[in-house]
Amino acid sequence: MDFEDIDVLDLFAGTGGIGLEFVSRGARSVTSVEMAHTQQNFIIAACKQLGIHNLTLVRSDVFKFLNACHAQYDFVYADPPYALNTLPLLPDLVLGAGIIKADGWFVLEHSAANDFSSHPRLVEHRAYGNVHFSFFQ
């Protein structure tokens, strides 16, 4: 996927590294959703220091955001805490929220404890050590 001129949603943004990477690769817009104040402040400071104006920080719980979001994105990325007890529900929640554009992608970062191989919309799975990525369309 060419990242230039796409709209990206970064769920569980943390310190914003993924969102900032998409900005650096030419994304049209990045929406980062983060609930923790310390991480929110870090994202704000990084955007200010780097002069980034196409990253929007949404201060919210991801699950509340998914229920209220009406925008659509070309690429949705989620890096939830691996111990999150609702992590297995994320593919269905994200894919069912109507937030992914036609031909868009959802990538979920997770541990080996989660197996999405039987999910009907799983396209690919990659593992790099203890970090796993499941790609959905």
Side-chain angles (χ1 to χ4, degrees), residues 117-136:
S117 60
S118 64
H119 195 282
R121 294 180 62 186
L122 180 76
V123 175
E124 185 175 345
H125 171 263
R126 295 182 189 178
Y128 301 96
N130 295 326
V131 179
H132 293 252
F133 297 92
S134 292
F135 296 75
F136 301 87

Side-chain angles (χ1 to χ4, degrees), residues 20-37:
L20 294 170
E21 183 65 29
F22 276 106
V23 167
S24 77
R25 291 177 184 246
R28 176 181 30 248
S29 71
V30 174
T31 301
S32 295
V33 181
E34 179 54 51
M35 187 170 61
H37 294 294

Side-chain angles (χ1 to χ4, degrees), residues 5 8 30 41 51 54 57-58 61 64 81-82 87 121 131 135:
D5 298 322
V8 176
V30 174
N41 292 337
N54 61 335
L57 174 62
V58 177
D61 172 81
K64 289 179 183 175
Y82 288 180
L87 190 148
R121 294 180 62 186
V131 179
F135 296 75

Side-chain angles (χ1 to χ4, degrees), residues 2 8 11 22-23 27 31 35 52-53 55 58 80-81 84 89-90 97 99 111 116 119 122-123 127 130:
D2 185 4
V8 176
L11 300 172
F22 276 106
V23 167
T31 301
M35 187 170 61
I52 292 173
H53 302 287
L55 189 149
V58 177
L84 184 70
L89 305 174
L90 277 173
I99 61 170
S111 72
F116 298 102
H119 195 282
L122 180 76
V123 175
N130 295 326

Side-chain angles (χ1 to χ4, degrees), residues 6 10 12 16 26-27 31 35 46 53 63 68 74 79 94 97 107 117:
I6 67 169
D10 180 14
F12 305 96
T31 301
M35 187 170 61
H53 302 287
F63 298 99
D74 300 289
D79 179 12
V94 171
V107 177
S117 60

